[in-house]
Structures are given as structure tokens and as C-alpha cells.
Amino acid sequence: MVLQNSKKKHNKIDQGISFYIGLFTCIIFLMVTIILTVLSFKSYRTAFYNYSNKLCLGSNAQASFVIDGDLVEYYVKTQTVDDVYIKFAAKLDVLKSRIDVKYFYIMAYTGNSGELTYIYDATVREWAGKEYALGMTDSIDEYDGCLEVLATGQGFDKARYYNDTYGELYYAYAPIFNSRGDVVAFVGTDIDITPLNNELDRYRTSLIITVVIASAAFLVMFFLISHYALNIPLKFIIDFAVRISKGDMNIHTPKWMENRSDEIGKLGGAFDNVASTIYGLITDIENIMQEVRRGNITARADISKYQGEYYKIINGVNKTMDLVCQDFNIMPEGIGFFNLEKQIQFSNIQLDHCIKIHSLNIDREIFFKQILSFEELLILDGMTDPRSDRNQVPAITKEISLENEFGTLRYYNLSIVKTNISLSHTDEDVPEDSSLILIMNDISASVEAKQEAELANRAKGDFLSKMSHEIRTPMNAIIGMSQVAKQTEDLSKIRNCLQQIESSSDHLLGIINDILDFSKIEAGKLVLDDEPFVLMDDMEFVLSMIQPKMEEKELVLKSGIKTMQHNVITADVLRLNQVLLNLLSNAVKFSYEKGTIVVTAEEVDYSGGWGTYRFSVQDYGIGIDPDNAEKLFNPFEQADGSVSRKYGGTGLGLSISKNLIEMMGGELWVKSAGIGKGSCFSFTIHVRCEESVSGNKKFIPEHQRSDTYDFSGKRILIVDDIEINREIILELLSTTGIEIETASDGEEAVSKFLSASPGYYDIILMDVQMPIMDGLTATENIRSSFHIDAKKVVIIAMTANVLRDDVNSAMRSGMNNHLGKPVDLKVMLEMLDAYLFKKDDKSL
């Protein structure tokens, strides 16, 4: 009724008056629309800036949470690029690419006034032409607010305008904490909002153009329609404009205006469509923000109903939320958001996987009971109390173990903290601190590594205890027999003491050699010295070496060594003999008196110049528990602790043998029927071989051995800085008739040699480790001198440096051979005899 009366009154209005009224109304409408557009644009811009602000700070906080604070603290101090830093930077490069930001960097304040140092920044290192930005500095004035972040541990964000090149950016700083909770650096994230400003500018331009066109059409329509169709539509349009200016977008044109086919009807419909579209856009964005506040960060708007700039805006919001979800899902930790009712609102892929494999019940009444103790549940109740202060409620941090679907325990670091993120299901006001974040970090690998390290340390502790016993036992014999010998004048008793000392010294040397071999294997520095030799002859030699020990226990040796088609093999004969003697010694040690030992060797395969040989040592002694057999090959371990107490041994022999055999392309194993039923150790080697031929045994010196040596008429120079060492050699060679001179260091040795007449010295025994001038330098000086004997005098290293690198160093310096300490008299005499009377012997 009111609308009809208005129409009748309007019909009586003069056409000229209506024209001016309509023109004035059109001008007012245009001005109000422009003002409304500016206000709307500012409102939308503020809203989007606030949203970008939150995204920037959120992305930055996520990045600071992922970054290892202890690692950052380490590089703040060291400023050194290493392999760990390279991997660390590579991961941050991936993170930067995925969160789609303009700049992403980590910086720390090292104390230099006015300067910050880069820990990471992919962009800066590209500009600077460097591979990494670590150690680069920048002025602290360029990073407003960073000192507050480092001092308070609170995040900081702000919009700033760089210049025409970089555009307008949002930047945010978040602190990086070490494991002690100290701020060590801050991570910065800059989001480029230039595209957003451009979108808003295009939106403003299009809206203004639309309004201007609509206003122009309205003015044209005014001149074409009758005066009665002007005032009432203007009243509705002005009313719409006022409501829109107040933020009320829920407007609809009346039916009678919608039914009009003239410009007024179209203008009203267009106005209604613009308002409803903007209202829908704002509503969708608001709905997304409400869902995010509730923890549902997977909420998205339906973009199918939008077109043009509206489509770009809402699609950009959806894509930004996709990036946020992606950031959570690429994190290695399981992350879940809970409201104060303990209901889960969001969980990433890692937490879902953890819940699934451990069959956890996500129900709020059961889930926390499965992972928390009673005392921790009381703390959780305090955290979920809306009245509690977030800063006063302690966080829950613990290590838990859960059994997975396969019955295997996995270990996690669990953290539950109260945050200021609201996750309420209702629209009612809630306290600021009103949500829980649960983080589960899988630490199974580190826990298992720690357990393995503890087991290894215990094994090494047992080894040190055994080694102390093994070393002290022969040392006790050496010291004790020495004291006994000093207190008696009975020559037979003294000789017995010396035999005991010699036997104990040999045993102690064997222990030291085992330790050195194991150390070289552990360091990967053990190298095989392959040479051709006759396998059958070598086996006879090894069996002859073990024969005396077998005779002591009245053991019977049965040999199953077969004649081999390819009898000459190329391998490290000393290491092969070491393994065989170790197995034979163990067989003798663990056999009963008057028992039997069976040794077999055979060629089992040959192809293309390579053969596979199998060796076995069978005894019928104490045997091995099959369940503990594999322990025999572990370093520092034996099948049964009582074995080491009863029979001795370091637990290294079989471990060393296994490594040596594997280096020869074979394997070592053991079989036993059980305790008291003996055991059989077998191994294979895969080596290059040839047809069986008669030849010299490479392991036996070719010159004739003798128990007595006569070096009369020969002269030797002994060089050693330790007087007792010189006295020992003097005594050992005293029965040979050789003339002996000594020098206490390399410099004295060089001086004596250079001042001697040609042919004066036949041979020089040279120590290596000496003060003033070492043996290697002395040898080089002799070889490079102009003395007529410089090239032909025989120089033999006599040193405790017995590793392969030491031997190689001696040979490179110009020495002829190497003699290890403690000196074996028989070996030394044979070597001297070979050089003094057979200097062309190529076997030396």
C-alpha cells in the first residue's frame, strides 16, 4: 500500500522538477558509490592484509618449529660449512620452495654492534655469487624488531615497503630455540603482497568502472523514462548504497523493480547482484577463518559460483590454505590440534599414521589415557580448564614407547602445550588461551642407536676387563720370573726363568698383534699383501708349527688334505696362516687330553683362473651351544663368559679371522652338535690360482738356515736412541764375531757414515723414531750423499713401527728391509746372513 501511494504522488511531480531531482539524485548516487567503493576497498584490503599477516607469521612459526635450534646454535658459533650444514641448507631450500614465500632466511646476533650474521638465505647467496650464505653479515637497522624477538622469544610481524624493485612485503620473525629453551637465532619470512595489491587495485578499478557505467546508464535512462519511474527507484538504490556503506550486504531489490525491463530494473538487478556476490565472497572467507579457528584447516570455499576478479580472490584464498595444510603434512612430526573438550580438530598425515599403526583410540576419553600417566592426566585437566593461565600451566613433555601392529616397540617424544589458538565449536566468546597442540616425534632410530651403543660399550668394557687380565697375566710372569732369576745363582733355575719370560713375552706380543689387527680392521686400513705360493707346502708348514702344542696334550692330528689340481695360489700367505693357526690353536685349546683333531683342505671350484678352496678344522672337545655360536665372530665376545675365565683369550681372534677371510672373498662359519660334542670351523677363500707346479716355498727363506752364524770380518752400525736397545743388540750379536759400532741418533749415524772409508760399514740397523734426526731422514741423507757406498750400503729398519704404512715409509726412504721390535733373534740373524753373504738374493 505504501508503495502504491508513492507512485500516485510521483505522477503529479512536474517533469522539470523530476529532471533536476533525478539529476541531483544521480550525482549523489555516484558520489556515495565512489565513497562506498573506497571504504569497501580499504576494508577488504585491511582484511586481506590481516589474513596475509597471519599466514606470514604462521608460516614463520612453522618454519622455526621445524628448524633444529641446537644445529643452528652450532653454526652460529662455528660459521663453518660442512656436510651436515649442506644437508641442512638443502632441506631449508625445499621448505622455502614449498611455503612459496618471497624471502626465507635465518639470522643471529653474534654480539658485533649493529650487525647480524646469516645462518641461511638462498636468495642472498645467489645475489652474492656464493654457494652458501653462512657467515655473511647485514646491518641490524634493516631488520626492525629482530632484537625484541631475540630478547623476548616472541614473534614479530609488520608490513613494509622496500622500493619499486621489491614491492610491498609482509615480514615476520620467529625465535629459534635450542633444546635448553634459549633463543639462539630468528627465522624470517617475507611474503610478497604485491600480487594481492594488484588484485585489489584491479578489483577497485573494475568496481569503479562498473559504478560509473551504471551511473551513466542510469542518467541516460532518466532522460528516456517518464518522471514517475525515477524517484522511488532512486530511493531504493540510495537505501541500498547506505546499507552497503554500513557493511550490510544482505539486500534484495523488490519484485516490481526486478520485473521492470528498463534501465532502472537492470540497474537494480545489477546492484543486487554486486551486493550478493560481495556478501557471498566475504561470507565464504569468514567461514574459512571460523573453521581455521576451530582447527579445521582443510575447509575451502566453493569457487564454481564466482567469476572474474572474485574467482581470483577466492581461489587465491583456497590455494593459500592448501599451502598451509601442505606445510603441516610435510613435517616429520605428528601434529594434532585439540579443543578444550579434548576433541581432536585437526591431525596431519604423520599423526594419522601413528594412530593407525598403534591402534590408538582417538576418542577424547580414551586417547590421552593410552599415552599419559595418571599424574600427567591431572596436568592435562589443568590445561583444559578455561580459567587457567597458559603461561602458568606446565607443558607435558615425555618419551613414550608404543607397540605397533607387528609387535615392535617404537619410541616417541611426546609434547602437549596450551596455545592461544581458539578451537571452539561454538560462536560464543572463549578465553584467549583455548586450545592444545600435541606433537609426536618418532625417535625410534636414535633410541635404538643409543641402545646399540650401550651394548657396544658394555661389550668393550668386558673386553677391557678381559684384556687387562690377559695383559697382566704374562706381565706378572715376566716380572715374577725376573725377580726369581735375580734372587738365585742356580743356572738351571735361571734358564727356566728365562724360558718362562720368553714364553710370556711371546704370548703378550700375540695379544698386542691381535689388538693392532683389530684396530686396523676397524679403521679400514688393513691391506692384504698377495703373492704366489704353493698351497700344499704351506699347509705342511702350518701343521708343523702347531705340532709342538699338540704333543703337549698328546693329541692326534688327522689330515684330509687332498692333492689339488691348481696348487699355486696368489694370496696373503701370512694372513692365511694366521687364520689357520688361530683355528688350530683353538682346537688344541678346547680339545680333551689325548683327543683327535681333523684338518681338511680341498679345491671345490675353478673358473677363469680363479679357484675356491675350503678348509676345515674339526675337534672333539668342549663344543659350543648352537644358540651362542654366532657370538664367536663378534668382537670382544665369546660364546660363554666362563670359557674366557677357564681358557683365557681376548675374544678377538675369530673376529679378526672372519674379516680376513671375507677380504679374501670367502666366508667363515662354525658347526657344533652341542656342549661336549666338539666343533668344526670351516672357511673358504676365492683367489687367483695356477696349475700345480713344483717350486720354492715363499714363506721359507731360500738360504740355508743354521743355528750358529759367523760374521767375522764384517762391520755393523747400530743406530738407536735408547741405550738398553743398543745393549740388547750388542749382546745378541756378541757370538757372531761381527764388529759393532753404535750411534744414538740419526745425525750421529750420518756423520759416522760420511767420515768412514769406502767399504767400512757392511750394514746399518736403523731405528725410526729418534730425537734430533729420525731414521727416515737419516737414510735419505745417506742415500743422497756423495759417499761411494751411499747407494749400496744395506740399511735395515729396526723399529716398533710395524704397520704396513710404516714399512712402506721405510722402503720409500731408501731402506732395504724392515725388522720389527721386539726383535726375533732368529729372524734377525737369518736376515743379516742373507745380506752379508748373498746380497743379490732377490727374495729379500
Side-chain angles (χ1 to χ4, degrees):
M1 182 66 65
V2 175
L3 293 178
Q4 291 177 353
N5 291 337
S6 297
K7 290 179 181 179
K8 290 180 180 179
K9 292 179 181 179
H10 182 66
N11 288 335
K12 297 179 181 179
I13 297 177
D14 181 73
Q15 183 175 2
I17 295 176
S18 297
F19 171 79
Y20 289 107
I21 291 174
L23 181 61
F24 178 75
T25 302
C26 183
I27 295 172
I28 294 299
F29 169 78
L30 182 60
M31 293 176 62
V32 170
T33 303
I34 294 174
I35 293 172
L36 178 62
T37 301
V38 173
L39 292 176
S40 298
F41 175 77
K42 288 184 177 181
S43 176
Y44 299 151
R45 179 172 181 174
T46 301
F48 282 112
Y49 278 9
N50 290 338
Y51 184 68
S52 298
N53 188 338
K54 292 178 180 179
L55 288 179
C56 179
L57 187 57
S59 297
N60 210 33
Q62 296 162 27
S64 71
F65 185 80
V66 172
I67 296 169
D68 186 345
D70 291 335
L71 191 62
V72 171
E73 183 180 26
Y74 171 77
Y75 288 111
V76 170
K77 296 177 180 179
T78 62
Q79 300 286 308
T80 302
V81 175
D82 55 18
D83 293 340
V84 176
Y85 178 82
I86 293 171
K87 294 179 181 178
F88 173 69
K91 290 181 179 179
L92 292 180
D93 290 344
V94 174
L95 180 60
K96 176 183 180 298
S97 66
R98 290 184 175 177
I99 61 176
D100 192 21
V101 296
K102 183 77 173 181
Y103 304 107
F104 179 63
Y105 47 88
I106 300 173
M107 306 192 77
Y109 182 60
T110 58
N112 294 331
S113 177
E115 283 191 355
L116 293 174
T117 181
Y118 280 97
I119 306 302
Y120 165 84
D121 192 316
T123 308
V124 167
R125 75 192 192 210
E126 291 171 1
W127 293 346
K130 293 187 176 182
E131 188 171 1
Y132 298 99
L134 180 64
M136 297 178 62
T137 59
D138 204 347
S139 173
I140 202 170
D141 297 333
E142 296 295 324
Y143 300 88
D144 181 32
C146 67
L147 292 181
E148 290 82 357
V149 176
L150 294 172
T152 65
Q154 300 292 325
F156 177 85
D157 62 277
K158 188 177 180 181
R160 60 181 173 184
Y161 188 82
Y162 282 100
N163 52 43
D164 294 336
T165 302
Y166 301 111
E168 188 172 5
L169 306 172
Y170 261 115
Y171 72 97
Y173 305 140
I176 298 176
F177 297 90
N178 60 19
S179 57
R180 301 185 302 275
D182 300 328
V183 179
V184 298
F186 68 90
V187 56
T189 305
D190 293 2
I191 295 179
D192 187 358
I193 60 172
T194 302
L196 177 61
N197 286 333
N198 294 338
E199 293 294 334
L200 291 174
D201 289 340
R202 284 193 290 269
Y203 163 75
R204 177 180 59 187
T205 302
S206 62
L207 186 60
I208 291 175
I209 292 173
T210 302
V211 171
V212 171
I213 293 175
S215 300
F218 179 81
L219 182 61
V220 173
M221 179 182 63
F222 173 78
F223 287 97
L224 298 177
I225 63 174
S226 59
H227 62 278
Y228 69 85
L230 181 61
N231 293 334
I232 294 177
L234 283 178
K235 179 180 179 302
F236 279 103
I237 293 175
I238 292 173
D239 181 59
F240 290 167
V242 172
R243 291 171 61 184
I244 291 175
S245 67
K246 295 180 179 180
D248 182 8
M249 299 294 177
N250 190 17
I251 58 176
H252 300 284
T253 56
K255 281 289 185 183
W256 61 266
M257 185 178 292
E258 290 181 358
N259 294 333
R260 291 183 58 160
S261 59
D262 56 12
E263 300 301 326
I264 292 294
K266 294 179 180 179
L267 182 60
F271 217 92
D272 185 27
N273 184 55
V274 170
S276 63
T277 302
I278 296 175
Y279 177 76
L281 181 66
I282 295 174
T283 301
D284 282 342
I285 295 176
E286 186 180 38
N287 289 337
I288 292 177
M289 298 306 297
Q290 289 178 350
E291 290 299 316
V292 170
R293 290 180 67 247
R294 294 170 181 166
N296 180 21
I297 63 174
T298 60
R300 302 291 184 271
D302 181 11
I303 62 175
S304 61
K305 58 185 178 181
Y306 295 101
Q307 297 179 351
E309 302 301 322
Y310 301 118
Y311 175 87
K312 293 181 181 179
I313 292 173
I314 200 67
N315 188 45
V317 173
N318 282 352
K319 288 184 176 180
T320 302
M321 294 307 303
D322 289 339
L323 285 175
V324 173
C325 287
Q326 185 178 359
D327 290 343
F328 277 111
N329 284 323
I330 65 174
M331 291 182 179
E333 298 84 2
I335 299 176
F337 296 100
F338 294 80
N339 60 19
L340 293 187
E341 290 77 32
K342 303 177 187 175
Q343 295 171 326
I344 191 165
Q345 304 298 300
F346 169 79
S347 59
N348 67 351
I349 294 175
Q350 286 72 21
L351 183 60
D352 290 338
H353 177 68
C354 178
I355 291 171
K356 179 181 178 182
I357 65 173
H358 297 298
S359 301
L360 299 176
N361 192 331
I362 202 59
D363 182 82
R364 61 178 178 173
E365 299 299 330
I366 301 176
F367 177 70
F368 289 103
K369 292 180 180 179
Q370 292 177 306
I371 60 176
L372 299 179
S373 65
F374 177 76
E375 292 77 9
E376 291 162 345
L377 289 172
L378 295 178
I379 298 176
L380 184 67
D381 290 338
M383 297 173 69
T384 55
D385 186 350
R387 297 168 296 179
S388 64
D389 185 355
R390 174 172 60 91
N391 297 321
Q392 300 299 322
V393 178
I396 298 175
T397 303
K398 62 179 297 188
E399 182 179 308
I400 63 173
S401 60
L402 298 172
E403 191 174 275
N404 64 14
E405 54 193 331
F406 303 108
T408 304
L409 283 179
R410 296 197 67 81
Y411 300 88
Y412 299 89
N413 269 339
L414 172 69
S415 299
I416 303 176
V417 296
K418 191 171 185 180
T419 71
N420 57 359
I421 303 173
S422 173
L423 301 179
S424 174
H425 279 299
T426 66
D427 293 332
E428 299 177 359
D429 292 336
V430 294
E432 181 183 6
D433 298 333
S434 54
S435 68
L436 304 175
I437 294 182
L438 178 145
I439 302 172
M440 292 184 69
N441 185 20
D442 192 338
I443 58 171
S444 300
S446 60
V447 171
E448 291 170 0
K450 180 181 178 182
Q451 292 174 347
E452 291 178 0
E454 290 173 350
L455 290 174
N457 285 334
R458 284 198 293 270
K460 289 182 179 180
D462 294 341
F463 165 74
L464 291 176
S465 177
K466 295 175 185 176
M467 195 60 60
S468 176
H469 172 77
E470 289 296 320
I471 293 176
R472 287 175 182 273
T473 297
M475 284 300 299
N476 181 62
I478 294 170
I479 296 172
M481 289 295 103
S482 298
Q483 293 173 346
V484 170
K486 288 191 297 183
Q487 294 174 358
T488 183
E489 295 180 358
D490 186 346
L491 292 179
S492 61
K493 196 171 184 179
I494 292 174
R495 181 175 296 276
N496 180 62
C497 290
L498 292 176
Q499 289 175 348
Q500 294 292 336
I501 290 172
E502 183 179 18
S503 176
S504 298
S505 299
D506 290 340
H507 179 61
L508 182 59
L509 183 60
I511 294 173
I512 294 172
N513 286 335
D514 278 352
I515 296 173
L516 291 175
D517 281 345
F518 180 75
S519 300
K520 286 187 284 185
I521 291 171
E522 286 281 282
K525 293 184 177 181
L526 184 64
V527 180
L528 298 180
D529 186 11
D530 293 340
E531 61 176 344
F533 63 93
V534 181
L535 182 57
M536 294 292 292
D537 294 343
D538 182 60
M539 291 297 298
E540 292 176 7
F541 173 68
V542 171
L543 295 179
S544 68
M545 292 181 67
I546 202 65
Q547 192 66 38
K549 290 186 178 180
M550 296 186 66
E551 292 174 355
E552 291 177 4
K553 297 183 71 173
E554 299 183 26
L555 299 175
V556 176
L557 177 64
K558 292 184 179 182
S559 175
I561 301 175
K562 303 176 182 179
T563 301
M564 302 172 188
Q565 182 179 357
H566 304 89
N567 194 22
V568 177
I569 69 172
T570 299
D572 190 326
V573 63
L574 295 179
R575 294 301 183 181
L576 177 60
N577 291 349
Q578 179 180 346
V579 175
L580 287 168
L581 287 172
N582 180 264
L583 298 182
L584 287 167
S585 297
N586 286 342
V588 173
K589 182 192 298 184
F590 300 122
S591 290
Y592 300 122
E593 296 285 342
K594 299 181 180 181
T596 301
I597 296 176
V598 179
V599 179
T600 61
E602 60 179 323
E603 180 182 344
V604 295
D605 185 43
Y606 175 80
S607 177
W610 288 81
T612 300
Y613 298 82
R614 181 168 57 221
F615 304 83
S616 296
V617 178
Q618 170 77 57
D619 69 77
Y620 299 92
I622 65 173
I624 304 167
D625 183 354
D627 294 335
N628 293 327
E630 287 303 317
K631 289 183 179 180
L632 292 172
F633 302 109
N634 294 334
F636 318 120
E637 292 193 33
Q638 292 179 330
D640 183 356
S642 63
V643 172
S644 63
R645 292 191 295 271
K646 183 175 181 181
Y647 296 95
T650 62
L652 287 177
L654 287 176
S655 174
I656 294 171
S657 296
K658 180 177 176 63
N659 280 279
L660 291 175
I661 292 303
E662 289 176 351
M663 292 177 68
M664 296 182 191
E667 58 178 329
L668 173 63
W669 69 93
V670 61
K671 291 183 180 179
S672 178
I675 301 297
K677 297 181 180 180
S679 57
C680 180
F681 286 84
S682 303
F683 68 89
T684 61
I685 59 173
H686 185 67
V687 294
R688 188 173 296 280
C689 57
E690 302 175 11
E691 294 273 338
S692 178
V693 296
S694 60
N696 293 326
K697 302 174 184 179
K698 293 297 183 178
F699 48 86
I700 301 176
E702 295 180 2
H703 59 276
Q704 182 66 37
R705 286 170 169 75
S706 174
D707 294 333
T708 60
Y709 294 86
D710 184 7
F711 299 150
S712 300
K714 304 294 182 182
R715 184 177 285 104
I716 186 171
L717 176 63
I718 300 172
V719 187
D720 200 304
D721 62 308
I722 307 298
E723 183 178 0
I724 186 64
N725 291 341
R726 298 196 299 270
E727 290 180 4
I728 290 172
I729 302 301
L730 284 169
E731 289 297 327
L732 292 177
L733 297 179
S734 61
T735 61
T736 64
I738 194 169
E739 296 183 28
I740 304 174
E741 293 186 9
T742 63
S744 59
D745 57 66
E747 187 175 77
E748 183 181 354
V750 173
S751 177
K752 284 191 172 185
F753 175 80
L754 295 179
S755 61
S757 59
Y760 185 76
Y761 291 113
D762 297 286
I763 198 164
I764 300 175
L765 292 182
M766 181 78 72
D767 188 18
V768 173
Q769 297 287 352
M770 293 184 294
I772 303 178
M773 180 183 291
D774 62 77
L776 301 180
T777 304
T779 301
E780 291 172 353
N781 288 345
I782 290 173
R783 295 301 188 199
S784 61
S785 69
F786 294 100
H787 195 282
I788 192 170
D789 294 333
K791 303 298 182 183
K792 61 182 179 180
V793 66
V794 177
I795 304 177
I796 300 175
M798 184 180 62
T799 174
N801 298 347
V802 295
L803 300 180
R804 178 168 295 276
D805 289 344
D806 300 322
V807 176
N808 292 338
S809 297
M811 297 301 102
R812 285 195 297 269
S813 69
M815 294 186 182
N816 297 86
N817 214 325
H818 184 278
L819 187 63
K821 293 180 182 178
V823 175
D824 187 318
L825 176 59
K826 187 176 181 180
V827 173
M828 180 177 67
L829 293 176
E830 290 173 354
M831 188 177 294
L832 293 178
D833 182 61
Y835 278 110
L836 291 173
F837 299 106
K838 299 181 180 180
K839 296 183 178 180
D840 59 342
D841 188 351
K842 297 181 179 179
S843 67
L844 292 172

